[in-house]
Amino acid sequence: MSTILNRCWLLAGYRDYAYFKSNMNEVAAVQSRKLMELLALNQDTAIGREYSFQDIRDYRQFAATLPLVENYEMLDPYIQQISNGEEDILFPGRPAFFETTSGSTRMSKLIPYTAQLKSEFQTAVNVWMNDLYRTRRGVFDGPAYWSVSPQMKDRGLTPGGISVGTTSDTAYFHPLTARLMQRMLVPSPDEKHNNSPHQFYLTSWRNLIQRKNLRFISVWSPNFLLRLHAFLRENVDEILDDPSIAPWRRQEVTSICRGSFTFLDLFPQLKLLSCWTQSQAKLWLDDISDILGAVDIQGKGLLSTEGIVSIPMSFDRHVLAYTSHFFEFRDVQDGSLVLADELRIGSDYEVIITTGGGLYRYCTGDWVTCVDYQDSLPCLEFIGRGASVSDLVGEKLNANLLPDIFLEIKNQASQAIQGMHLYGRVQERQAGYLLLIEGDLERSETVSLSRRMEDYLRENPYYGQAITNGQLIPLEPVVMSRGFHQRLFEFYCQKHQIKEGDAKIPVLFQPGALKELLGY
């Protein structure tokens, strides 16, 4: 049954795949059509009238008429109207729901999801899945486990009654596709099972264990799979204490878990893992190989709440999702703007998107390198979210937000604090942050300040999610001896060959960046 449903799903998306493949030499033309279609679709909305979409004839006019959205605050007036229930603001009608994501100037922001945006996401997924079917035989001959959306996020309603978040991963797709996916995917824990990380992992494993013929796993951070593996090792008896698991399977899994084991031991027909492999996700790949077994890993493309930028293809490249959204690229060196067919191989760019979800010329903060071309289609490698974002397991912690938080924390302390920094750490397949504090503080106050800092950081939904599901260790305070900031300053200037008069010491350091100074 899984094989039949999988093929029905693939057949439903074949048209998108065929169009994508047959137009890879016509990227500029397809992108131009995409832009004009979006403008025509939205010309009768509030923003369409404000910027006279009906009069825009090409990209040159588009770029001259609409400003770049450099920060989310530029969208605030529109998002507020939409959340209050007003229609036809950034797109026709109302959104299906809002999703939350982190920002560069605030911890959390709302992104509207419309039928058009969902269709754009599905187009890219259709291309990816059909390419997988043709290049990796057997991947779709059994059930699959997908972790599509972050689990255990708070949900609610806006003042206008629009849902924030969704209870089902399949809500991001067309209803027909959603029904097929619900039948062929390993069930994810429903909302009532999301009340604790333990219950979430417990329910996930009880569902997974019963699919010995599992073929495909798709997760975001590879660290999530490490946590899943560790949970089974530590809680195998509780997981198997479930009458829905057949006795023969219970006995088999018990035997496997007595020693060291891999996912392939549990699921001998497993063919492929899809997860992040670029940027800071590389930290976890060796560990993933250890627990996975002889299973192929395919790196995910660049996908965010706001849009989908690239997808993996059979020639081992991540290519631009050029049939989904309209793209511009800003050279990170000189600030010049280019289109999809104008990228220079070896150059780095910030991605700017225009989507059916009401984002126009939206600066994502995602940096990519153009590594090659396939026909006229650029191949992209994700290199990170600028220089100010730490993303060890998907938490998207932005350094630009920290100074104001540090200032408030310092003002709450009873004793003077000379300096504060966050330092990422990775050890024993776990990630987290140290709060480095220079000051004369009692242990109790140090712990109190750290907890307040953690509360601020949890306002970022991705950070809070990573803490809740155990991918991040809670913030740990470390009191540094007097003179630490001066030692850090001297170390940083020397290591990066910066004149002291030109140095600006970061507030957020990546794992290992201070090893020579601190020893860890």
Side-chain angles (χ1 to χ4, degrees), residues 283-342:
L283 289 168
W284 309 107
L285 294 185
D286 287 343
D287 289 334
I288 282 295
S289 295
D290 290 342
I291 68 163
L292 197 60
V295 177
D296 288 341
I297 301 175
Q298 183 186 62
K300 283 192 183 298
L302 174 54
L303 185 151
S304 66
T305 306
E306 293 89 344
I308 187 164
V309 177
S310 64
I311 51 178
M313 293 292 278
S314 55
F315 37 85
D316 296 323
R317 288 283 193 255
H318 293 87
V319 298
L320 183 69
Y322 74 106
T323 59
S324 290
H325 316 306
F326 177 74
F327 296 95
E328 302 168 77
F329 297 86
R330 178 160 53 188
D331 192 302
V332 301
Q333 295 297 323
D334 62 22
S336 60
L337 294 176
V338 296
L339 297 180
D341 61 318
E342 300 172 334

Side-chain angles (χ1 to χ4, degrees), residues 412-427:
Q412 293 171 357
S414 62
Q415 301 293 326
I417 294 178
Q418 282 72 48
M420 299 176 71
H421 301 271
L422 285 188
Y423 182 26
R425 61 171 176 170
V426 174
Q427 58 183 16

Side-chain angles (χ1 to χ4, degrees), residues 19-75:
Y19 181 77
F20 189 100
K21 292 285 285 186
S22 63
N23 284 280
M24 289 169 56
N25 256 326
E26 302 292 336
V27 171
V30 172
Q31 279 282 280
S32 179
R33 287 197 295 271
K34 173 60 67 174
L35 174 61
M36 299 315 298
E37 288 169 2
L38 288 172
L39 294 176
L41 177 67
N42 297 308
Q43 66 180 10
D44 293 326
T45 63
I47 195 170
R49 293 188 294 271
E50 180 180 354
Y51 289 102
S52 301
F53 282 5
Q54 76 277 5
D55 295 330
I56 298 177
R57 295 291 177 262
D58 53 29
Y59 168 70
R60 181 185 59 81
Q61 281 186 285
F62 175 69
T65 302
L66 275 77
L68 290 173
V69 178
E70 298 279 6
N71 58 71
Y72 183 79
E73 279 66 24
M74 296 176 66
L75 294 177

Side-chain angles (χ1 to χ4, degrees), residues 390-455:
S390 183
D391 203 15
L392 303 180
V393 298
E395 72 276 15
K396 299 179 176 65
L397 189 57
N398 196 307
N400 296 329
L401 300 175
L402 296 179
D404 287 342
I405 297 175
F406 282 169
L407 180 60
E408 187 160 346
I409 294 292
K410 288 173 68 175
N411 290 338
Q412 293 171 357
S414 62
Q415 301 293 326
I417 294 178
Q418 282 72 48
M420 299 176 71
H421 301 271
L422 285 188
Y423 182 26
R425 61 171 176 170
V426 174
Q427 58 183 16
E428 298 179 356
R429 295 181 176 175
Q430 285 267 227
Y433 291 90
L434 302 176
L435 176 60
L436 307 180
I437 308 173
E438 181 184 350
D440 298 321
L441 299 175
E442 297 291 336
R443 176 62 182 172
S444 59
E445 184 166 20
T446 301
V447 172
S448 177
L449 291 179
S450 177
R451 287 174 178 168
R452 292 175 199 168
M453 184 70 197
E454 181 89 310
D455 289 341

Side-chain angles (χ1 to χ4, degrees), residues 104-119:
S104 59
T105 56
R106 62 174 66 181
M107 284 295 187
S108 181
K109 56 188 180 181
L110 292 176
I111 301 297
Y113 268 65
T114 66
Q116 178 65 29
L117 180 62
K118 290 164 66 176
S119 174

Side-chain angles (χ1 to χ4, degrees), residues 189-486:
D190 58 30
E191 189 168 16
K192 69 181 179 182
H193 290 122
N194 284 348
N195 56 356
S196 76
H198 185 89
Q199 190 65 48
F200 170 77
Y201 286 118
L202 179 66
T203 307
S204 295
W205 266 120
R206 285 176 171 173
N207 290 333
L208 276 166
I209 286 296
Q210 299 179 66
R211 275 77 179 180
K212 182 178 178 179
N213 61 336
L214 186 72
R215 297 298 185 101
F216 178 48
I217 296 176
S218 174
V219 299
W220 293 123
S221 171
N223 179 265
F224 174 78
L225 208 65
L226 293 174
R227 299 300 307 142
L228 204 62
H229 183 268
F231 187 89
L232 175 60
R233 188 177 62 245
E234 297 162 5
N235 301 276
V236 61
D237 291 338
E238 184 181 5
I239 291 168
L240 296 177
D241 186 19
D242 180 355
S244 67
I245 299 174
W248 68 266
R249 181 59 169 159
R250 189 180 302 120
Q251 182 177 359
E252 182 178 55
V253 173
T254 299
S255 177
I256 290 171
C257 293
R258 285 197 181 112
S260 61
F261 63 92
T262 67
F263 274 82
L264 192 60
D265 294 326
L266 294 164
F267 309 107
Q269 298 181 58
L270 184 61
K271 299 293 184 182
L272 185 68
L273 166 67
S274 168
C275 66
W276 288 327
T277 59
Q278 299 178 343
S279 188
Q280 295 185 58
K282 295 176 183 177
L283 289 168
W284 309 107
L285 294 185
D286 287 343
D287 289 334
I288 282 295
S289 295
D290 290 342
I291 68 163
L292 197 60
V295 177
D296 288 341
I297 301 175
Q298 183 186 62
K300 283 192 183 298
L302 174 54
L303 185 151
S304 66
T305 306
E306 293 89 344
I308 187 164
V309 177
S310 64
I311 51 178
M313 293 292 278
S314 55
F315 37 85
D316 296 323
R317 288 283 193 255
H318 293 87
V319 298
L320 183 69
Y322 74 106
T323 59
S324 290
H325 316 306
F326 177 74
F327 296 95
E328 302 168 77
F329 297 86
R330 178 160 53 188
D331 192 302
V332 301
Q333 295 297 323
D334 62 22
S336 60
L337 294 176
V338 296
L339 297 180
D341 61 318
E342 300 172 334
L343 303 182
R344 298 188 306 275
I345 295 176
S347 293
D348 300 336
Y349 300 91
E350 180 186 7
V351 181
I352 300 169
I353 58 174
T354 297
T355 77
L359 301 182
Y360 305 90
R361 309 198 76 199
Y362 184 86
C363 301
T364 64
D366 291 324
W367 288 12
V368 297
T369 299
C370 178
V371 296
D372 202 357
Y373 273 88
Q374 185 71 20
D375 297 327
S376 66
L377 180 60
C379 304
L380 307 174
E381 179 176 346
F382 175 58
I383 57 177
R385 288 186 55 80
S388 61
V389 175
S390 183
D391 203 15
L392 303 180
V393 298
E395 72 276 15
K396 299 179 176 65
L397 189 57
N398 196 307
N400 296 329
L401 300 175
L402 296 179
D404 287 342
I405 297 175
F406 282 169
L407 180 60
E408 187 160 346
I409 294 292
K410 288 173 68 175
N411 290 338
Q412 293 171 357
S414 62
Q415 301 293 326
I417 294 178
Q418 282 72 48
M420 299 176 71
H421 301 271
L422 285 188
Y423 182 26
R425 61 171 176 170
V426 174
Q427 58 183 16
E428 298 179 356
R429 295 181 176 175
Q430 285 267 227
Y433 291 90
L434 302 176
L435 176 60
L436 307 180
I437 308 173
E438 181 184 350
D440 298 321
L441 299 175
E442 297 291 336
R443 176 62 182 172
S444 59
E445 184 166 20
T446 301
V447 172
S448 177
L449 291 179
S450 177
R451 287 174 178 168
R452 292 175 199 168
M453 184 70 197
E454 181 89 310
D455 289 341
Y456 281 115
L457 296 180
R458 282 173 177 261
E459 292 177 17
N460 171 348
Y462 291 109
Y463 181 92
Q465 163 71 13
I467 291 289
T468 301
N469 67 22
Q471 287 181 264
L472 279 182
I473 301 169
L475 191 65
E476 179 181 337
V478 180
V479 177
M480 311 305 297
S481 60
R482 281 194 172 275
F484 169 72
H485 189 267
Q486 182 59 36

